[in-house]
Amino acid sequence: MLRQLTFGIALLAAVPAQAQLRLGETGLSLTGTGTVATDYLFRGISQTRSRPASQISNLELSHESGLYVGAFLSNVSFAGTNARQEIDIFGGYRFAVAGFNLDLYGIWYTYPGYAPAPGQFGLNYAEGALKVTREIGSVTLMATGAASPNFFGSSGTGIYLEAGADWRTGLLDLTAGARVGHQWVERNIRFGAPDYTWWALTLARDFAIAGIGTVTASIGYYQTSISRQDCAPINGRGQDICGARALAALSFKF
């Protein structure tokens, strides 16, 4: 199966701080964010074939100890498959060391309702990751490393590295973000593309709206190193899901 470049938790730069519902004296809190976007991008690749996405992101139950579990839901559309939704389950532990904030977590990516056609492989897979952030004045630096023992489409070992920064500019309450990442996959033919680099530049701003709460508006430019010819080809023709594009989104807390 030529892998359709898919899946994942699409994290917008400068995702808003979430509202917290404290559950009595248990030390537990419930948070959630809803997002509507012009596309669903994961590591620079469209998961909806350049169509809009509606998502429940970071639906999370966390404990004051740093432990947490959560879920992510989104519509998807992969050419040549009947996959229409993605539900990811994640859990981990957040803690601080010497001024660095660390997040050690695992994710199980699932596509309910997907039935592989002859010659296709399952889409579900697991990934473990470590994210490190540090605030220096108005700038938040971040780095993430992730690994999967059997990446999407049974494409073998997958390794991912990402770095970036968010800058609270002080101008019109805007936050500017930058990201760059690289994905390695063991079986590129099955994956549907070569190992690649992606990058993004984003702007985001919070708005307080009466009766709704805080809404975050964001816009970003995304690009990958994958050529059209090498982008998940079907019948020898690459798809238009890996090229340069803009993404606009509105996120709200609930």
Side-chain angles (χ1 to χ4, degrees), residues 7 36 58 63 67-68 75 91 103 111 135 137-139 152 161 179 185 207 225 235:
F7 53 79
V36 291
N58 303 324
H63 189 264
L67 294 170
Y68 65 92
N75 61 296
D103 187 355
Y111 301 86
E135 292 191 20
S138 60
V139 175
F152 179 96
L161 294 177
R179 296 288 188 275
V185 181
F207 295 90
S225 62
N235 298 324

Side-chain angles (χ1 to χ4, degrees), residues 64-68 91-96 102-106 130:
E64 59 189 12
S65 65
L67 294 170
Y68 65 92
Y93 177 56
R94 298 188 183 103
F95 57 103
L102 286 78
D103 187 355
L104 181 64
Y105 59 95
L130 174 64

